[in-house]
Amino acid sequence: MSSLTNQNIFTVSRLNSEVRLLLENEMGIVWLVGEISNFSAPVSGHWYFTLKDSMAQVKCAMFRGNNRQVSFKPANGNQVLVRARLSLYEPRGDYQLIIESMQAEGDGRLQQQFDELKMKLAAEGLFAQSSKRPIPEHPKCVGVITSKTGAALFDILDVLKRRDPSLPVVIYPTLVQGEEAAIQIAQAIGRANSRNECDVLIVGRGGGSLEDLWCFNHEIVARTIAASQIPIISAVGHEIDVTIADFVADLRAPTPSAAAELVSRDHSHKDQALLSLEQKLRSAWRHYLSAQHRQVVEFAHRLEKQHPRYRLLRQAQQADELQIQLQRAMEKYLAKRENTLSRAFYQLQLKSPVRQISQQQNKMARAEQALQDAMERKLLSFRHHIALAAEKLDAVSPLATLKRGYSITQNAQGDVISRQAQTKTGDTLVTRLMDGEIRSTVN
């Protein structure tokens, strides 16, 4: 612990900053192929996504200035090839790729292989002008290496027949498209060299896509052309089509017909020589521009590492991150408030006067029904008791006595006469019988 100084102790911010500089300065440019997932395109115009394969994944950012060059709209599940710089997102400590270019995997892989082989062969000197063999001004025999059924062959033969019908032509048929084409082209070049019957060879085919012309971008074809003892003119596709074979060949013709014109004799030998020199100049100029372009790209890359734009882009990414967090927090807050309002509304409904009045009305209705049931039970009980009392009363009722043959005598005041002494002459008596009464006067 005594050997530690303040300079040996890192803060988290300083550590992440140092690691970011190490990643950006040491790794440089990397090519990566993978599947897009978690794709996000905020309003800032930047893209954020994850590249993954079956075993791992890495986070990526592609800023607005670069993603405008992408010719398709990325989506989750796309297989892509990307050119990127390795970096670190300091606020989270996550390492990530800063994507500079993106291509669909198929075309991107071919273009990457083309660039890699081109740089490799250029570094070995296969494109050097000093290694080019001169094209004979007056060839005695021309060899053509192409498809025997392709339009390129008929174009070449047509031009040769028109310009120099006496010039011998030897055709070495081969495939010029597909998986086996590169090997067959290399074998045809080797066969022409072993037979040594021609003093110039035209190797080519008609135009097509990068995939169609890919056999002329194989390393075996390039090295076979470079090793050929017979000068070779590359005549692949149209003028805009460029292959590895064009760089290695002793001369590049823009089309198969142009190649036939280059090797055929006519009255314009000077024009042919000028055209040849022009082609060489164009080839040398392309190589020079390619080398200068690589140097400019390297300088630009070194300059970009120090450019304030990258700090602004990192801050823009951080702003996007904060925006996403704010949006999530707002959504979470609004959801919580919505739940609170729902619970409050439910509680309010429980305590609503309308609900309570309804409950009290139901309670009163039940009480009223219970009271009515109780009254009916009470009346029934009373009727039962009255019936029993009536039976008992009937048993001792004077009426019952009258029914048995007795009678009751009362005076005018209604007093029952039970003794003779209660009467006197002239009193009116009422004798009550079972079925009526008899009025009489005492004599």
Side-chain angles (χ1 to χ4, degrees):
M1 293 297 291
S2 60
S3 63
L4 286 176
T5 65
N6 290 336
Q7 294 181 347
N8 299 128
I9 301 175
F10 280 72
T11 63
V12 177
S13 300
R14 180 187 168 195
L15 174 64
N16 286 353
S17 178
E18 295 287 341
V19 172
R20 179 182 62 80
L21 292 175
L22 284 174
L23 289 174
E24 292 180 350
N25 294 330
E26 296 298 327
M27 289 297 295
I29 297 297
V30 295
W31 288 89
L32 193 69
V33 64
E35 177 185 337
I36 292 179
S37 65
N38 300 323
F39 181 81
S40 174
V43 294
S44 62
H46 308 314
W47 292 348
Y48 304 101
F49 54 92
T50 300
L51 276 183
K52 67 177 183 177
D53 55 23
S54 59
M55 300 295 293
Q57 63 181 16
V58 61
K59 293 183 178 180
C60 304
M62 191 171 193
F63 298 114
R64 181 173 52 197
N66 290 323
N67 62 33
R68 287 176 178 173
Q69 308 301 321
V70 179
S71 60
F72 63 98
K73 180 64 175 178
N76 292 333
N78 287 161
Q79 289 285 339
V80 294
L81 176 73
V82 298
R83 182 178 184 269
R85 294 181 298 103
L86 198 60
S87 184
L88 183 94
Y89 183 55
E90 295 180 29
R92 284 201 307 266
D94 294 338
Y95 96 90
Q96 64 179 2
L97 292 176
I98 306 300
I99 308 299
E100 295 186 351
S101 67
M102 178 188 297
Q103 297 173 322
E105 181 183 8
D107 295 340
R109 281 185 178 274
L110 292 180
Q111 188 63 46
Q112 181 191 16
Q113 293 174 18
F114 181 92
D115 294 338
E116 290 176 351
L117 181 59
K118 180 181 174 183
M119 294 179 63
K120 175 183 176 181
L121 298 181
E124 295 181 15
L126 267 68
F127 302 165
Q129 193 63 35
S130 59
S131 64
K132 306 295 184 182
R133 293 170 292 272
I135 305 299
E137 292 186 8
H138 304 289
K140 299 177 181 179
C141 182
V142 176
V144 180
I145 298 175
T146 188
S147 170
K148 63 182 180 180
T149 59
L153 176 60
F154 295 100
D155 290 342
I156 292 172
L157 294 178
D158 183 63
V159 172
L160 294 179
K161 181 179 179 181
R162 174 173 50 83
R163 290 171 57 86
D164 194 354
S166 63
L167 180 62
V169 178
V170 178
I171 300 172
Y172 302 92
T174 177
L175 293 176
V176 290
Q177 184 173 338
E179 297 181 357
E180 301 295 330
I183 296 177
Q184 289 196 18
I185 293 170
Q187 291 174 344
I189 296 173
R191 186 163 59 253
N193 275 267
S194 64
R195 289 165 59 173
N196 197 24
E197 53 194 347
C198 301
D199 47 7
V200 65
L201 295 175
I202 298 176
V203 180
R205 58 153 286 167
S209 66
L210 179 62
E211 186 175 0
D212 294 337
L213 305 179
W214 191 248
C215 58
F216 293 94
N217 292 319
H218 273 264
E219 185 173 357
I220 186 174
V221 173
R223 294 194 180 279
T224 305
I225 292 175
S228 174
Q229 298 301 313
I230 302 174
I232 293 179
I233 299 176
S234 173
V236 181
H238 305 298
E239 187 171 2
I240 60 173
D241 298 322
V242 180
T243 65
I244 298 295
D246 295 331
F247 294 110
V248 183
D250 301 294
L251 182 64
R252 175 188 182 260
T255 63
S257 298
E261 291 182 357
L262 288 172
V263 298
S264 58
R265 292 187 291 267
D266 63 357
H267 299 292
S268 56
H269 298 301
K270 292 183 179 179
D271 292 341
Q272 181 178 347
L274 288 175
L275 181 60
S276 177
L277 290 175
E278 181 184 357
Q279 294 296 328
K280 291 180 180 179
L281 180 61
R282 286 179 181 274
S283 178
W285 183 245
R286 282 197 302 270
H287 291 308
Y288 174 77
L289 288 180
S290 178
Q292 292 299 311
H293 177 71
R294 287 196 300 271
Q295 189 173 13
V296 168
V297 169
E298 181 180 355
F299 287 154
H301 178 63
R302 290 167 57 184
L303 181 62
E304 284 179 356
K305 290 181 180 179
Q306 311 300 327
H307 201 287
R309 179 180 62 183
Y310 286 104
R311 178 176 296 178
L312 294 176
L313 291 176
R314 288 193 294 271
Q315 292 176 351
Q317 182 178 358
Q318 188 173 6
D320 288 336
E321 185 78 15
L322 293 174
Q323 180 185 1
I324 293 172
Q325 293 179 4
L326 177 61
Q327 183 176 355
R328 290 174 180 170
M330 287 295 296
E331 291 174 353
K332 184 177 180 181
Y333 174 77
L334 291 175
K336 183 177 179 181
R337 294 297 300 171
E338 185 176 356
N339 291 335
T340 302
L341 289 174
S342 297
R343 290 195 299 270
F345 182 72
Y346 177 72
Q347 294 294 331
L348 183 62
Q349 284 185 324
L350 292 178
K351 297 179 180 179
S352 172
V354 175
R355 182 184 179 89
Q356 292 182 357
I357 289 172
S358 177
Q359 290 177 346
Q360 292 297 326
Q361 287 177 341
N362 293 335
K363 186 175 180 181
M364 288 178 62
R366 290 194 298 271
E368 183 179 355
Q369 184 64 39
L371 178 60
Q372 185 175 354
D373 293 343
M375 289 178 64
E376 289 180 356
R377 289 194 299 272
K378 195 70 173 178
L379 288 173
L380 183 63
S381 177
F382 284 157
R383 290 192 186 100
H384 181 67
H385 288 302
I386 290 173
L388 292 177
E391 290 179 1
K392 293 179 181 179
L393 182 61
D394 187 61
V396 295
S397 172
L399 295 177
T401 303
L402 295 177
K403 289 179 181 180
R404 292 196 299 269
Y406 296 93
S407 62
I408 299 174
T409 302
Q410 296 174 305
N411 57 19
Q413 288 73 32
D415 298 328
V416 177
I417 303 301
S418 58
R419 295 188 303 275
Q420 183 178 355
Q422 292 179 271
T423 64
K424 62 182 184 290
T425 301
D427 288 343
T428 299
L429 301 178
V430 178
T431 302
R432 188 177 298 277
L433 302 175
M434 179 186 68
D435 57 352
E437 59 185 13
I438 297 174
R439 292 184 178 272
S440 58
T441 304
V442 178
N443 294 326

